[in-house]
Amino acid sequence: MKSKSKRRLTKSASNRVLTGSIGGFGEFLGINANYLRVGFIILTALTHFIPGILIYILLIVIMPADPNKPDFSALFSNFGFNTGNKTETKSKTDRKVIHDVDEHDEK
């Protein structure tokens, strides 16, 4: 017997350009989100941008976040901000320290 998992419309954690709203629609509908993005941009341009921008802002506010996404800091991971866990960043930034080394300039 096949079990049906309950699908919910949420923002996508993996298929995102800005906030994952259109990526979430793509995952919910089972189609490529890039087609939705292009269609949304065309529709927004044809309606003089204001309605499309307002709809996108409403999607950002109303759509719940992906429950599989651990925290809000993943939003900033694409922009290079260091919002990760302290233990993870420590291992990346540790450097070897060499003691008792004499430095000489080469001529």
Side-chain angles (χ1 to χ4, degrees):
M1 191 158 116
K2 203 178 204 182
S3 68
K4 291 184 178 180
S5 63
K6 194 174 190 180
R7 291 187 342 180
R8 291 186 56 204
L9 179 61
T10 59
K11 294 178 189 174
S12 175
S14 59
N15 189 3
R16 65 185 322 154
V17 173
L18 292 175
T19 61
S21 299
I22 297 179
F25 268 110
E27 290 175 358
F28 182 74
L29 297 174
I31 59 174
N32 190 346
N34 290 331
Y35 297 135
L36 291 175
R37 288 182 182 107
V38 170
F40 185 77
I41 290 171
I42 291 171
L43 186 66
T44 301
L46 291 176
T47 59
H48 300 288
F49 294 99
I50 299 300
I53 293 171
L54 291 176
I55 289 171
Y56 193 73
I57 290 171
L58 283 173
L59 288 175
I60 292 170
V61 173
I62 292 173
M63 284 179 74
D66 188 3
N68 299 328
K69 186 173 88 170
D71 59 357
F72 183 72
S73 66
L75 174 66
F76 298 109
S77 66
N78 292 336
F79 299 111
F81 294 118
N82 189 7
T83 59
N85 202 350
K86 296 294 181 196
T87 58
E88 293 175 11
T89 57
K90 184 179 178 187
S91 65
K92 291 179 183 176
T93 58
D94 282 348
R95 297 180 67 182
K96 290 184 180 180
V97 178
I98 301 174
H99 298 282
D100 300 325
V101 175
D102 292 330
E103 293 184 14
H104 300 285
D105 291 333
E106 288 188 32
K107 293 183 180 180

